[in-house]
Amino acid sequence: QVQLVESGGGLVQAGGSLRLSCAASAAWGRTFSSYVMGWFRQAPGKEREYVADIAWVDGNTHYSDSVQGRFTISRDNAKNTIYLQMNGLKPEDTAVYYCAADPFGADRGPQTLEGDYDYWGQGIQVTVSS
C-alpha cells in the first residue's frame, strides 16, 4: 500500500507562484525506483486532467501543453517527496491538484491517463485570483 499526502496549496494572485509537495510512503520498505509520479488537476465542472509526471529512477519529466514552461516537477529521493513548482499562475490554473503514483511506469514515456496510476492523494486546492 502506498500513501500520498499533498501540501502547499492555497490562494495566490495571478502571476504568482506556489510549490506543491507530495510525500510518498509505503509499507514493508517498498522502494519507488520503478515508479512514475504524476500531478493531475480538476477544475470545477471539468474532468480531471494531466499536468506533469516524473520518473523516480532517472528524473525524466513530461508536461501538458497548458503548463509547459511555467510548471516544474521534481523529486527528492531522500525524502520520498515530489514537488510541483508553479510559476506565472493564471486564474485558469485554479483547481484541486492531485498527486498520483504509477508503480510500473518507468521507461514507458509520458503517463498521461488516470488509469495509468494506482494510487492517489486526497487532493489540495489551488486558487488563483485575477
Side-chain angles (χ1 to χ4, degrees):
Q1 188 70 18
V2 173
Q3 292 186 324
L4 305 173
V5 179
E6 300 102 337
S7 61
L11 173 65
V12 64
Q13 289 188 331
S17 299
L18 279 176
R19 188 177 79 158
L20 303 183
S21 300
C22 173
S25 60
W28 305 109
R30 179 185 300 186
T31 65
F32 296 100
S33 58
S34 66
Y35 280 56
V36 166
M37 305 296 292
W39 286 100
F40 286 72
R41 66 186 182 185
Q42 188 168 20
K46 294 188 176 181
E47 299 284 324
R48 189 152 55 181
E49 66 172 1
Y50 166 82
V51 174
D53 70 71
I54 184 167
W56 212 289
V57 64
D58 60 7
N60 194 26
T61 60
H62 304 95
Y63 298 90
S64 68
D65 289 343
S66 61
V67 307
Q68 179 77 47
R70 298 189 298 125
F71 291 11
T72 302
I73 188 171
S74 62
R75 79 208 192 287
D76 184 328
N77 289 352
K79 296 181 179 179
N80 281 353
T81 299
I82 64 166
Y83 304 97
L84 186 68
Q85 177 66 44
M86 304 184 293
N87 298 329
L89 282 161
K90 305 174 182 180
E92 52 263 45
D93 294 317
T94 294
V96 176
Y97 282 71
Y98 297 89
C99 174
D102 170 7
F104 308 110
D107 298 325
R108 291 185 180 180
Q111 300 293 292
T112 65
L113 302 178
E114 289 186 60
D116 292 330
Y117 296 84
D118 290 351
Y119 303 101
W120 292 83
Q122 79 285 357
I124 193 162
Q125 179 69 45
V126 171
T127 302
V128 184
S129 63
S130 58

